[in-house]
Amino acid sequence: MVKFRKDFYADVRVETKFTTSVRYRDGALEESRQSTVKKAFIRVFDGEMWYYASTYKLGELQAELDKLYANATPNKKIEENPVVRRFESNTASIEKFKNCRLKDVPLEAKQKILTDKFSVLQGSKYVKMFVAIYSDRYSEYEFYSSKGANLKFDYQLCGAGVSIALAEGSENFNGSFLKSDDSFEKVCALFSENNLKDYVKESENYLLNAKPVQAGEYPVILSPMAAGVFAHESFGHKSEADFMLGDETMKKEWAIGKKVGSDILSIYDSGLEEGSGCVPFDDEGTKASKTYLIKNGVLTGRLHSATTAAYLDEAVTGNARAVDCDFEPIVRMTSTVIEAGTSKKEDLFKRVKHGYYIKDYKHGSGMSTFTIAPNLAYEIVDGKIGNPVKISVITGNVFETLNLIDGLSDKAEIISSAFGGCGKMEQFPLNVSFGGPYVSVSKMNVQ
């Protein structure tokens, strides 16, 4: 595709991206569009500085690359540079979705997955407004480097769902039923009429019967979805090694081998897991891997690009990612998961005399202190799920809470999302996934 020069490191990343976006409001079509965009991102490194270019003009890649070379300084020892030494020279051609590409699914079918469900929403006297959405993406990637990397692989993700507003008198409830996966057929099964009916029924029950919680500290059980967002927000971002660059205090505070959580707790990040965080190679051409961030309560790893790995003298992990070809790769998560334990889900609940079950969430955030705003939450009384409750937030110190985890169910679930994504710096939304088992925490601050 291009000719690389000696005495520099350089790479070229190309993405051809097909997308679909469909939206209905109260049954009326507001948006239905499809597009295909092809773009490239080019980098040159001379051992001291990086030089970047982004372009739609794929016929002029060599000219763009030569411009970057003209600004850089030749370095005969570039191959000895600690960053360059960590770049891999992988070659592969992977067509995972060759026989089920989303761009081959007719637009009418993508609209029908939504319109077929309107009767469910219109049949509820409490649903006052709804927005139905479908989104998909099919990408073909190419990656070439001066070290000999030559990669071609595909990626896809789609999702369908509804956001609903319910009301009865002065009471209101807003909820979302969103399902995502890497094939249209899987999403059709997840976003079924029966599953949506069950969600609407649960939302109606919450609207009519949820009572405010009395603030305090209680035992809490997190669903796989709530556990996943807790792992992503409260610990995953702190595992991204770029926040340590130039900060000796952080390097000491986050020393490998430090005890940071309960003995039963292990958290990993992996680009190998099926779903929205599955990427066989990162945007520096590094092969995906499974990286334990916490193993049996001990800090065991962190997420790296080649630059951060060189700075900390550690191995690359396949976590240099860019949201698209407008941006340079930075350290980002892929699929961040709390590993399953040994307990039966039912046994976790049986141990709770009085506490709360967090089923899903509106939003979450956290670094040293985390905050999760639940959407659907329930009281646990004498080991059984009871009435719905209104909880503004659950919050606490991250490390204290990691040490208070006292039970993990024996099956983990990974949650994908085709809507939104992870944000960092100016790069949003990046497709990631997260999840875990049902997680029991002996004490959390419930408000």
Side-chain angles (χ1 to χ4, degrees), residues 12-267:
V12 177
R13 171 167 45 98
V14 180
E15 180 186 9
T16 304
K17 180 164 65 175
F18 167 87
T19 58
T20 304
S21 182
V22 179
R23 183 175 68 244
Y24 291 85
R25 184 180 298 274
D26 295 330
L29 182 64
E30 286 191 336
E31 179 184 27
S32 182
R33 60 183 174 86
Q34 295 184 312
S35 66
T36 300
V37 175
K38 191 168 185 176
K39 199 167 187 179
F41 190 88
I42 309 165
R43 305 191 302 174
V44 168
F45 183 52
D46 62 8
E48 295 292 332
M49 291 186 63
W50 282 99
Y51 301 85
Y52 303 119
S54 178
T55 181
Y56 289 101
K57 299 177 180 179
L58 299 191
E60 301 177 12
L61 286 182
Q62 187 66 55
E64 291 292 336
L65 180 59
D66 290 342
K67 289 178 185 177
L68 299 183
Y69 282 136
N71 287 292
T73 302
N75 181 349
K76 292 187 180 300
K77 296 184 177 181
I78 190 66
E79 295 296 329
E80 300 173 22
N81 182 277
V83 175
V84 176
R85 286 205 312 266
R86 283 169 169 79
F87 288 124
E88 298 179 351
S89 53
N90 295 304
T91 61
S93 181
I94 302 170
E95 293 183 280
K96 181 178 179 181
F97 303 103
K98 181 179 180 180
N99 298 318
C100 60
R101 298 183 303 184
L102 289 167
K103 69 178 184 177
D104 297 332
V105 178
L107 178 59
E108 292 76 13
K110 299 172 182 180
Q111 295 172 335
K112 192 173 187 295
I113 191 177
L114 302 178
T115 57
D116 281 352
K117 312 302 186 303
F118 290 171
S119 60
V120 175
L121 304 168
Q122 293 164 342
S124 170
K125 69 177 183 178
Y126 301 108
V127 175
K128 306 303 180 183
M129 185 275 290
F130 70 86
V131 175
I133 49 178
Y134 173 89
S135 177
D136 70 26
R137 165 192 168 193
Y138 172 77
S139 289
E140 294 175 335
Y141 288 100
E142 299 172 59
F143 182 86
Y144 309 93
S145 82
S146 58
K147 290 189 71 172
N150 189 324
L151 301 171
K152 294 183 179 181
F153 60 95
D154 56 0
Y155 174 96
Q156 71 177 27
L157 182 67
C158 64
V162 294
S163 295
I164 56 177
L166 296 85
E168 173 65 7
S170 61
E171 296 296 322
N172 296 277
F173 174 74
N174 296 317
S176 296
F177 182 74
L178 305 171
K179 296 298 177 182
S180 302
D181 216 305
D182 62 8
S183 83
F184 187 74
E185 290 73 19
K186 292 176 184 177
V187 168
C188 287
L190 293 168
F191 188 61
S192 68
E193 183 173 331
N194 286 337
N195 288 345
L196 180 57
K197 283 180 178 178
D198 289 343
Y199 180 77
V200 171
K201 184 178 180 180
E202 183 175 18
S203 299
E204 291 175 340
N205 178 54
Y206 192 90
L207 170 75
L208 299 173
N209 298 307
K211 305 298 181 186
V213 70
Q214 184 174 349
E217 292 185 332
Y218 300 91
V220 169
I221 293 180
L222 304 173
S223 71
M225 178 183 288
V229 74
F230 170 72
H232 176 98
E233 295 290 353
S234 67
F235 194 80
H237 279 296
K238 275 204 167 182
S239 298
E240 295 169 337
D242 50 355
F243 88 97
M244 293 185 181
L245 296 182
D247 193 328
E248 293 299 319
T249 300
M250 286 294 99
K251 286 174 65 177
K252 292 178 182 178
E253 183 179 340
W254 286 78
I256 298 297
K258 180 180 179 179
K259 188 76 163 65
V260 294
S262 167
D263 290 345
I264 65 172
L265 176 66
S266 295
I267 300 177

